Amino acid sequence: MPQSSLREVEHEITVSAPATAVYALIADVTNWPRIFPPTIYVDHLEQGANTERIRIWATANGEAKNWTSHRTLDPQALKITFRQEVSTPPVAAMGGTWIIEPLDEASSRVRLLHDYRAVDQAPESMAWIDEAVDRNSRSELAALKTNVELAHAAQDVTFSFEDTVQINGSAKDVYDFINEAALWPERLPHVATVRLQEHTPGLQTLEMDTRAKDGSTHTTKSHRVCFPSSKIAYKQVTLPALMTLHTGYWTFTENGTGVAASSQHTVTLNTANITDILGPDAGIEQARAYVHSALSTNSTATLNHAKAHAENQR
């Protein structure tokens, strides 16, 4: 492969936070779906002292893709190198480095380097990768800056919770019910319509209109990563007005009396819309309770319908 086929690009941003804090945020990939807009889900395949293999699901130019990367972490030098093991066409090879440089005690410069090749060296393929890398890099760095600088302020408006239903059935039957979202309008009273795409097995785009308690409907869109019979992870990319972030997962764990089916949510409130939606006297606690109740009501209802479905299969 001629050297000219390798593209090298760099993006950078200045962050008003200590370099060590920025490094720690980038090093912990489990938080990436909350931090980086393109990232849907990250799963650890292997972990060593300063090395790890991770599988990443993310959107590129609006399309959901996944790949496996090897990372080497250097906390002393505040540097993280990464290399995709198997890239997704049109990418033939992709790697790079995060470099965090202290500017002073309270600020740092983050440099994100990429090198890559196109699978067929065609100009249109390289242009597609150029656009995806540039868009994702700018998005990741802007989100990183925002999330680091607002880390303390966001503690009050970011929260997680989980609902669990015990089911006298098999994990496969419960999983199938959640996986087969195209059937939800027939199976779930709170779901009005569904548009489900699954061009790659196990990687879904789910858009649906959900009925609220007051009878109104709202549209949400999510990317879902499906692990047959065990887990479905998702990230909403079209959100209700009271949220700026919503990630979560469904898990199906067999036990002595059947299967424990759980729905986990992580949410960041959109504080700018609280008073418009809940009234002039509403604050963070009221918004938190409202969102928690709405999501918990729908996910528990879904789990109970999945329970009836699975127990009817026996």
Side-chain angles (χ1 to χ4, degrees), residues 37-281:
T39 305
I40 304 168
Y41 183 67
V42 183
D43 194 25
H44 275 106
L45 300 177
E46 297 175 14
Q47 281 186 281
N50 286 308
T51 61
E52 60 186 10
R53 287 179 68 237
I54 57 175
R55 194 173 185 194
I56 304 168
W57 288 261
T59 57
N61 294 341
E63 299 177 34
K65 304 278 187 178
N66 74 88
W67 63 90
T68 300
S69 289
H70 181 275
R71 299 208 313 166
T72 302
L73 292 81
D74 188 341
Q76 282 70 44
L78 301 182
K79 181 172 17 176
I80 301 168
T81 59
F82 58 90
R83 180 71 47 189
Q84 291 182 6
E85 289 187 353
V86 179
S87 298
T88 302
V91 179
M94 175 79 73
T97 308
W98 292 91
I99 302 172
I100 299 93
E101 301 172 339
L103 297 177
D104 53 42
E105 290 186 357
S107 64
S108 53
R109 180 170 69 157
V110 178
R111 298 166 58 203
L112 177 55
L113 285 59
H114 282 99
D115 61 79
Y116 49 88
R117 295 196 307 267
V119 72
D120 53 8
Q121 299 190 63
E124 59 270 22
S125 296
M126 186 60 82
W128 188 95
I129 304 171
D130 287 341
E131 182 182 353
V133 169
D134 185 64
R135 178 180 300 178
N136 282 4
S137 296
R138 293 178 188 278
S139 173
E140 288 181 7
L141 289 174
L144 179 74
K145 175 181 174 69
T146 298
N147 280 276
V148 171
E149 292 179 350
L150 299 179
H152 296 295
Q155 286 179 352
D156 290 338
V157 296
T158 300
F159 60 98
S160 301
F161 60 93
E162 186 169 337
D163 298 299
T164 301
V165 171
Q166 179 64 33
I167 298 171
N168 182 20
S170 73
K172 179 185 183 302
D173 288 337
V174 184
Y175 169 87
D176 286 347
F177 186 94
I178 305 300
N179 180 57
E180 295 167 353
L183 300 177
W184 283 3
E186 306 164 24
R187 294 174 164 178
L188 299 174
H190 67 272
V191 176
T193 58
V194 163
R195 295 161 292 281
L196 180 69
Q197 294 181 325
E198 188 171 0
H199 300 305
T200 302
L203 190 55
Q204 301 176 341
T205 299
L206 171 63
E207 188 174 10
M208 66 179 182
D209 300 322
T210 304
R211 297 185 182 92
K213 294 177 182 178
D214 60 6
S216 63
T217 62
H218 63 271
T219 301
T220 58
K221 181 179 179 180
S222 303
H223 294 300
R224 306 205 307 175
V225 182
C226 305
F227 303 92
S229 299
S230 62
K231 186 174 190 175
I232 296 177
Y234 63 86
K235 180 176 185 177
Q236 280 193 349
V237 292
T238 300
L239 295 149
L242 272 177
M243 291 181 267
T244 60
L245 171 88
H246 180 200
T247 65
Y249 49 81
W250 306 86
T251 55
F252 317 97
T253 306
E254 292 190 335
N255 52 38
T257 55
V259 55
S262 298
S263 173
Q264 190 272 357
H265 302 270
T266 295
V267 170
T268 298
L269 298 173
N270 187 340
T271 55
N273 290 338
I274 291 176
T275 55
D276 288 343
I277 295 172
L278 300 181
D281 297 327

